[in-house]
Amino acid sequence: MVELIKEISEVNAISGNEHALREYIFKYVGKKDVSVDTMGNIIVFKKGTSKQDKKLMIVTHMDECGLIVTDITDDGFLKFECVGNVELRSLISKKVIIADKVNGVIGMKAIHLQKKEERETVKKAKELFIDIGAKDKKEAQKYVNKGDYISFNTKFSKTQDILKGKGLDRICVAPVLELIKTDPEYDTYFVFTAQKEVGMRGAMICASKINPDFAVILDSVESADMFGCKDNDIQTKLGNGVLIQYADKYSISDRELLSDVIKIANKNQIPYQQAGLIRGFSDAGEVITSYGGVKGVTLSVPVRYTHTPVQIVNRKDVQALFDLTKAILKGKHL
Amino acid sequence: MMELLKKLTQTDGVSGNEKNISNLIYEDAKKYCDEIKTDAMGNLIVHKKGGSKKVMISAHMDEIGIIVSFIDEKGFIRFSNIGGLYTKQLIGRRVRFQNGVVGVIGCEEEEFDKKAEISKLYIDIGAQNRDSAQKLVNIGDMGAFCGEFYQNGDTVVSKALDNRVGCYILLEVMRDIKTDNDLYFVFSSQEEVGLRGAKAATFDISPDYAIAVDVTDTGDCPNAPHNSVKLGGGAAIKVMDRSVLCDASVRSLMIEVAKENNIPYQLEIMADGGTDAGAMHLSRGGVKTGGISVPTRHIHSPSEMVNEKDIKNCISLLKAVLEKL
């Protein structure tokens, strides 16, 4: 699965521009029983092996946060805005790639040229710029257009169980691609959603179209296991297993489904962790309130430095999420 | 003394955990309807069959509370809010968990004085350490605030009058309403965390008209922000709140009906807070939506205060509106 995660991490798929990852997913799953809707969500249908008349939906988003070109200055620098909730403080001097072809670096004034106050404050996106080495506006315009998406240019790497790369917010695309190979107990819709990072927009339309009985939402979650995160806050920890979520910013997991999932995890000895209220959000907020309501639960992989160009996860957590979701797919307990 | 209202307020049902309150309402409502069901979000939908005009009446049955996020080595419980809480007012409050265990909210005094944040508060259940605490309470458990029911004359005080008073009104109206309209009484879930239950239910029912029954702020306390709604001033007819601008035709129908039947009413413009009306009016292609509210003091505290006459006026008004629609 690590190879799969590497490839997904290095495909650029910023919200609204998930085309490249969609192509990658098509190559992986083929075209049979696969559909794409107008928002660009991919829906893969697998017939259930049991005769029960229940529909299960597995949801994971395929988009990542990034930047978009808003203007080109007279001296050939690019101005940009964030797509999704990018951690601004992490941007300065990072390598980027514009429209998948032009290399650039997020620049700022040399430290020698900064006043004392400037050194101590955090820049806003408006004050930052991207340098592609163009000598003026005219030259820059040859390579870059307003509205081009800008991706972080981070190489994936692996050190034992620790995986590092960009776009690991949507790491669950990898386990879901593997999960599609299993024969589920129920009729199952595997959904790769678009535009989650800008407000669950893809999930909004696909859940009401499918109208499932149950939904399992797979996502990443902020890891809180470093100094500065006081011990009374969220307790997500890298390497402690899949996180079974009770509630996030926009959703509360179904209580019965939650206790079923915990039973399955215990029975199969899958490492898991629990947390009260997660500050971030997953597609669950739209999925569970769609149509006449959907019983849903969110499972997630802790990610350090989420929404930045360099993120870190533990392979074992992804494995635990895969094992738990597989046990749910194979079970008759829902 | 309103025994049913007392029972409704004293049964806990924090958002996402409405099973007990839903069961209580179910037992009463099943006697007065043709169809009753719970959907996947936990909404209790009570159907009284009628003609072609579909009207959805929604009162949320969830209440604010807390969710356990962490238990420290000494057995103190850290928590996050479910719904809008006034952090500064939480100290000393009692919290009841679903298994009946009661804890007290304490604070890290010096830190809380510097900055009143929920992370500086904890729940003390008197446990000696983490292990003994975890035998009673676990991460993800939800707790409701305690606040006993009290009535003196027309004055009623309790926790969770937001919005069990709305549930009470729906139950009272359902009992003996006579109309040709097709009525869906919805006891909605997860209103306090963002109108989530009503959003799902409205899509499913697809009504022609929707009415939200909820509580509303009053402006009659010392130095309160400007608001003309008064406790005891009559049923409040909603004009707007943060989530909705009510349909003008529904609003004028309500006023007309109130005048015809000599029901005291006042107009409600609530600057803060939303209601199920917000989710209902935006469903599918839009739904003509109005609201009837009970003037309430000290909303989201364990001692919310309403007036029995206002409740009765809301019941009469809702009944008359449903008959006239």
Side-chain angles (χ1 to χ4, degrees):
Chain A
M1 180 143 31
V2 172
E3 194 49 36
L4 195 55
I5 294 171
K6 173 180 187 291
E7 290 181 12
I8 290 164
S9 162
E10 291 183 353
V11 173
N12 296 326
I14 297 170
S15 313
N17 192 33
E18 300 92 351
H19 178 75
L21 189 54
R22 255 195 307 274
E23 288 303 314
Y24 180 88
I25 293 171
F26 287 149
K27 254 198 289 178
Y28 203 89
V29 299
K31 293 261 161 136
K32 189 176 173 288
D33 289 328
V34 177
S35 62
V36 182
D37 64 22
T38 45
M39 283 288 287
N41 301 306
I42 299 180
I43 299 159
V44 182
F45 176 69
K46 287 276 282 200
K47 190 122 195 67
T49 50
S50 102
K51 288 196 171 128
Q52 276 175 300
D53 196 20
K54 291 253 172 73
K55 278 192 277 185
L56 175 62
M57 180 161 98
I58 305 283
V59 186
T60 192
H61 72 93
M62 56 183 163
D63 62 316
E64 62 185 313
C65 296
L67 311 171
I68 191 165
V69 178
T70 54
D71 203 4
I72 301 168
T73 65
D74 289 341
D75 33 12
F77 294 112
L78 315 182
K79 302 297 283 179
F80 63 88
E81 270 298 339
C82 298
V83 180
N85 224 341
V86 176
E87 166 58 286
L88 283 173
R89 286 169 295 183
S90 69
L91 292 184
I92 293 164
S93 76
K94 295 295 185 303
K95 290 189 284 185
V96 293
I97 184 153
I98 301 120
D100 275 339
K101 57 177 201 277
V102 182
N103 284 302
V105 62
I106 302 179
M108 70 177 301
K109 241 195 265 179
I111 189 163
H112 317 82
L113 305 174
Q114 293 173 28
K115 296 195 183 86
K116 186 167 179 291
E117 313 86 80
E118 285 181 291
R119 287 182 211 168
E120 286 165 359
T121 53
V122 179
K123 295 275 179 229
K124 297 204 178 79
K126 278 194 181 74
E127 298 168 281
L128 296 171
F129 57 86
I130 291 168
D131 183 355
I132 56 167
K135 67 174 188 295
D136 55 23
K137 188 170 193 165
K138 214 168 162 197
E139 192 184 352
Q141 278 170 335
K142 273 194 237 164
Y143 304 104
V144 175
N145 292 307
K146 277 190 206 174
D148 281 351
Y149 280 92
I150 305 159
S151 305
F152 302 120
N153 193 353
T154 310
K155 284 268 167 293
F156 182 88
S157 73
K158 172 178 180 293
T159 314
Q160 284 156 350
D161 285 330
I162 297 298
L163 314 178
K164 183 207 81 178
K166 73 151 180 77
L168 297 182
D169 298 302
R170 36 94 201 243
I171 190 166
C172 292
V173 170
V176 173
L177 284 174
E178 291 286 331
L179 285 165
I180 289 175
K181 294 176 188 161
T182 62
D183 289 318
E185 198 66 26
Y186 307 97
D187 280 1
T188 304
Y189 294 83
F190 295 91
V191 180
F192 301 91
T193 59
Q195 303 193 25
K196 177 257 170 181
E197 295 293 1
V198 287
M200 311 174 282
R201 295 181 193 162
M204 200 180 292
I205 64 162
C206 62
S208 38
K209 205 154 116 191
I210 295 169
N211 191 19
D213 298 287
F214 302 100
V216 180
I217 298 94
L218 306 177
D219 208 333
S220 60
V221 67
E222 61 276 17
S223 188
D225 53 349
M226 59 204 74
F227 48 80
C229 299
K230 267 186 69 177
D231 67 352
N232 59 10
D233 216 335
I234 301 166
Q235 286 295 293
T236 45
K237 198 166 181 187
L238 224 59
N240 270 11
V242 50
L243 182 84
I244 301 177
Q245 277 183 219
Y246 284 85
D248 69 18
K249 197 171 169 189
Y250 299 124
S251 74
I252 296 176
S253 292
D254 182 76
R255 305 302 285 191
E256 282 170 17
L257 205 51
L258 264 173
S259 59
D260 285 345
V261 168
I262 289 172
K263 265 185 226 147
I264 296 168
N266 286 330
K267 194 175 144 220
N268 294 282
Q269 297 186 326
I270 297 162
Y272 68 91
Q273 42 189 326
Q274 292 158 277
L277 183 91
I278 296 298
R279 308 263 191 273
F281 66 92
S282 70
D283 276 332
E286 283 298 339
V287 170
I288 63 172
T289 57
S290 70
Y291 211 84
V294 175
K295 284 184 191 295
V297 65
T298 306
L299 308 177
S300 50
V301 174
V303 176
R304 281 189 189 158
Y305 324 119
T306 181
H307 292 209
T308 80
V310 191
Q311 304 165 353
I312 285 178
V313 299
N314 188 311
R315 188 192 59 81
K316 285 184 186 155
D317 297 334
V318 187
Q319 188 63 43
L321 175 131
F322 172 82
D323 292 341
L324 181 54
T325 314
K326 187 167 174 182
I328 294 168
L329 285 171
K330 290 303 242 178
K332 289 186 180 137
H333 19 249
L334 296 180
Chain B
M1 181 92 155
M2 290 179 281
E3 276 306 321
L4 176 60
L5 182 59
K6 180 177 177 182
K7 250 201 307 198
L8 287 167
T9 57
Q10 296 303 305
T11 304
D12 295 340
V14 177
S15 313
N17 216 352
E18 296 95 349
K19 205 164 193 175
N20 291 348
I21 183 67
S22 172
N23 287 345
L24 177 70
I25 296 170
Y26 178 92
E27 286 307 319
D28 197 40
K30 72 177 181 192
K31 295 177 252 173
Y32 313 108
C33 66
D34 302 307
E35 236 178 6
I36 185 162
K37 67 162 188 180
T38 300
D39 72 9
M41 278 294 287
N43 296 303
L44 182 67
I45 300 173
V46 184
H47 187 190
K48 265 181 106 99
K49 284 186 185 156
S52 58
K53 204 186 277 173
K54 265 200 240 176
V55 186
M56 170 174 170
I57 311 101
S58 176
H60 72 87
M61 60 176 164
D62 63 316
E63 65 187 293
I64 52 166
I66 61 95
I67 183 165
V68 175
S69 56
F70 179 68
I71 301 172
D72 73 17
E73 281 157 21
K74 290 180 181 158
F76 291 104
I77 295 164
R78 302 291 182 160
F79 62 95
S80 302
N81 61 307
I82 297 288
L85 303 184
Y86 300 105
T87 312
K88 283 184 184 163
Q89 298 176 6
L90 294 179
I91 297 165
R93 274 199 203 172
R94 294 183 191 188
V95 173
R96 182 163 53 223
F97 293 97
Q98 237 188 328
N99 58 2
V101 170
V102 170
V104 178
I105 297 183
C107 76
E108 303 170 9
E109 275 179 44
E110 286 179 5
E111 292 298 314
F112 194 78
D113 280 350
K114 273 186 240 159
K115 202 167 182 200
E117 285 176 331
I118 210 164
S119 63
K120 314 274 165 59
L121 300 173
Y122 54 82
I123 298 170
D124 180 0
I125 55 168
Q128 298 301 311
N129 52 45
R130 182 183 281 156
D131 280 348
S132 64
Q134 277 176 337
K135 290 201 178 87
L136 300 170
V137 175
N138 276 293
I139 290 176
D141 285 355
M142 288 182 180
F145 296 108
C146 301
E148 62 179 303
F149 185 91
Y150 159 86
Q151 183 167 11
N152 181 16
D154 286 332
T155 304
V156 177
V157 175
S158 174
K159 70 124 173 140
L161 279 166
D162 175 8
N163 179 30
R164 303 296 155 62
V165 70
C167 299
Y168 175 81
I169 290 167
L170 260 57
L171 287 168
E172 289 296 318
V173 168
M174 177 189 307
R175 233 175 271 283
D176 54 0
I177 178 116
K178 283 177 190 64
T179 162
D180 293 333
N181 293 326
D182 199 26
L183 302 183
Y184 288 85
F185 293 91
V186 176
F187 298 88
S188 65
S189 64
Q190 302 193 27
E191 189 267 357
E192 295 291 0
V193 288
L195 324 179
R196 295 177 194 163
K199 180 185 167 203
T202 318
F203 191 96
D204 200 20
I205 293 168
S206 188
D208 301 305
Y209 291 95
I211 296 171
V213 181
D214 207 334
V215 298
T216 190
D217 263 326
T218 68
D220 56 354
C221 290
N223 274 328
H226 289 294
N227 179 346
S228 64
V229 175
K230 284 192 186 70
L231 196 71
I237 294 173
K238 189 183 288 292
V239 178
M240 66 165 276
D241 62 33
R242 219 181 49 206
S243 66
V244 67
L245 291 153
C246 288
D247 179 75
S249 66
V250 174
R251 189 207 339 165
S252 19
L253 178 93
M254 285 180 176
I255 294 171
E256 198 183 302
V257 167
K259 281 181 182 159
E260 272 171 22
N261 295 279
N262 291 321
I263 302 167
Y265 73 95
Q266 39 193 340
L267 294 180
E268 169 207 343
I269 294 168
M270 185 161 72
D272 245 345
T275 56
D276 279 346
M280 293 193 293
H281 82 297
L282 291 175
S283 190
R284 295 197 189 221
V287 178
K288 284 186 187 297
T289 299
I292 294 177
S293 313
V294 182
T296 306
R297 288 181 184 165
H298 322 300
I299 292 181
H300 285 203
S301 86
S303 309
E304 296 170 328
M305 183 186 285
V306 297
N307 180 296
E308 186 171 354
K309 284 206 184 88
D310 288 338
I311 301 176
K312 289 192 170 143
N313 287 324
C314 286
I315 294 170
S316 317
L317 179 60
L318 179 59
K319 216 182 273 181
V321 167
L322 291 176
E323 281 161 7
K324 181 116 186 191
L325 253 179

